[in-house]
Amino acid sequence: MRTPITTLQLPAHAATRLAMAAGQITANPYTETDAFAVQADAAAQLLDDGLASVLDRFAKGQIQSALFLRGVPVPQSLPRTPAASFHLLLAPQRTRAEAVLATVGARLGEIFAYREWDGGQLVQNRYPIAAHHGVQTASDASDLVLHTEACFTAYPPDFLALLGLRCDPAGEARTVVADIPRALALLTPAQRKILRDPLYVFPTDRGPHTHGGRRTTAPVPVLHDSGQGPVLEYSTLLSAISSAGVSTLTALEEALNRCALTVELGTGDLLLIDNRRTVHGRTTFHPTYDGSDRWIQRVLMLRQLPPSGRIVPDTRLAHYPTEYLKALALPV
């Protein structure tokens, strides 16, 4: 039972229209946050009617939970893939793909960022970094476990968009997506009930609780209900504090794996993910760290911004593992 992914090869006229709309964005996404977002909102109204219709249907949950666009216009030439975190570079330069990514993203919702991630930049650049080897983060080359983005934070994104700038030269890196409703349908009613119990924790050396001699986060449910249906907050890194929780978590992981598909993000490929209906991850690959490695850009979207505005806090920060905080150059 595999996750369906709607794939759309952009017609030439739609790609041209997208490039023209993105060309209206002049603000720098890394230094002019508000202006960039406002211009992206305006550019999103200039898209080809066919593409706009598909994006609007996707945003409303009327088509599959992942949408794969091919032939998105990106620059013909790129600088070398950086060796350090993009927001820590002395002079980060725009690739000119940021405006294209933001134009599509803004059609789905309000672009936002977490204050503590990537220096609060609206466009996040993801590529392997040698110093992050062995840390569970998108800048590591080992597998990125299945998860819902920013699960258990106060403001999880409704959507995320991943744009391929440079593909993995070895062709090993694959983005993994799995449809949540289809996976939940594979579980029994009793198992879905157990997922609603506060039985699930993350191991962390900064956790306020202990279980089995290890420090952990506070126990929480992973499944709850909203006005739009069931919401799953999930990561393969979760563990359970009861035998029923352990067996149910295993059943959930197996169900998600049964529904999973992989896609390769090549240059000009854009993967849109409904974070309310999809878990995602990435397979292991072997970078060379020589400037030719895989490079993607990402934006996050909310259907409605919170009162605090476009740059929101990551409310889980106090309990992140120390090694993760160090890898992201965050205060320990």
Side-chain angles (χ1 to χ4, degrees), residues 149 158-162 271-273 275 280 298-301:
E149 191 67 29
D158 292 315
F159 306 99
L160 56 154
L162 308 176
L271 180 63
L272 304 175
I273 295 173
N275 196 48
H280 69 283
R298 184 184 74 172
V299 290
L300 308 174
M301 283 75 66

Side-chain angles (χ1 to χ4, degrees), residues 10-302:
L10 284 189
H13 68 274
T16 299
R17 185 80 171 265
L18 172 55
M20 291 177 61
Q24 302 299 306
I25 302 176
T26 58
N28 188 317
Y30 307 117
T31 60
E32 301 173 288
T33 297
D34 290 335
F36 180 80
V38 169
Q39 291 177 7
D41 287 341
Q45 306 308 310
L46 304 176
L47 294 173
D48 168 78
D49 288 345
L51 175 58
S53 176
V54 171
L55 295 175
D56 292 347
R57 289 168 54 214
F58 177 74
K60 295 174 183 176
Q62 295 174 350
I63 57 178
Q64 289 90 336
S65 58
L67 174 60
F68 193 42
L69 303 180
R70 312 205 70 168
V72 172
V74 295
Q76 294 297 309
S77 61
L78 289 170
R80 293 165 61 85
T81 302
S85 297
F86 197 82
H87 70 289
L88 298 178
L89 300 178
L90 293 178
Q93 298 295 313
R94 284 181 285 180
T95 65
R96 303 294 175 179
E98 295 92 347
V100 173
L101 174 60
T103 298
V104 175
R107 190 78 193 192
L108 304 180
E110 295 284 352
I111 297 173
F112 80 105
Y114 295 104
R115 183 174 60 225
E116 298 84 0
W117 297 15
D118 303 272
Q121 293 175 346
L122 286 183
V123 177
Q124 294 107 45
N125 289 266
R126 293 288 182 263
Y127 40 78
I129 297 173
H132 295 179
H133 181 70
V135 179
Q136 185 57 217
T137 174
S139 52
D140 180 26
S142 61
D143 68 303
L144 183 63
V145 301
L146 285 177
H147 63 287
T148 47
E149 191 67 29
C151 53
F152 304 107
T153 191
Y155 310 108
D158 292 315
F159 306 99
L160 56 154
L162 308 176
L163 176 61
L165 299 185
R166 176 173 288 136
C167 62
D168 172 26
E172 298 175 310
R174 295 286 193 280
T175 300
V176 185
V177 293
D179 186 83
I180 290 171
R182 287 174 176 265
L184 291 176
L186 297 177
L187 303 181
T188 67
Q191 289 171 325
R192 292 193 292 270
K193 183 177 183 299
I194 292 171
L195 292 175
R196 290 181 165 88
D197 294 333
L199 300 173
Y200 307 96
V201 298
F202 286 102
T204 171
D205 61 337
R206 295 159 55 87
H209 292 255
T210 59
H211 175 70
R214 298 185 304 169
R215 294 181 68 176
T216 71
T217 55
V220 293
V222 297
L223 184 64
H224 58 89
D225 295 308
S226 72
Q228 297 180 329
V231 175
L232 180 72
E233 298 189 87
Y234 175 78
S235 168
T236 306
L237 299 178
L238 283 164
S239 57
I241 62 173
S242 75
S243 58
V246 169
S247 62
T248 303
L249 202 58
T250 299
L252 174 60
E253 182 174 0
E254 291 173 351
L256 289 168
N257 286 334
R258 285 180 61 187
C259 296
L261 277 182
T262 62
V263 296
E264 182 179 10
L265 281 173
T267 301
D269 290 340
L270 176 58
L271 180 63
L272 304 175
I273 295 173
D274 187 334
N275 196 48
R276 305 162 300 181
R277 298 188 290 148
T278 314
V279 295
H280 69 283
R282 182 192 24 79
T283 61
T284 300
F285 65 111
H286 298 84
T288 57
Y289 307 112
D290 64 354
S292 67
D293 287 323
R294 180 180 189 258
W295 184 355
I296 66 173
Q297 289 184 331
R298 184 184 74 172
V299 290
L300 308 174
M301 283 75 66
L302 285 168

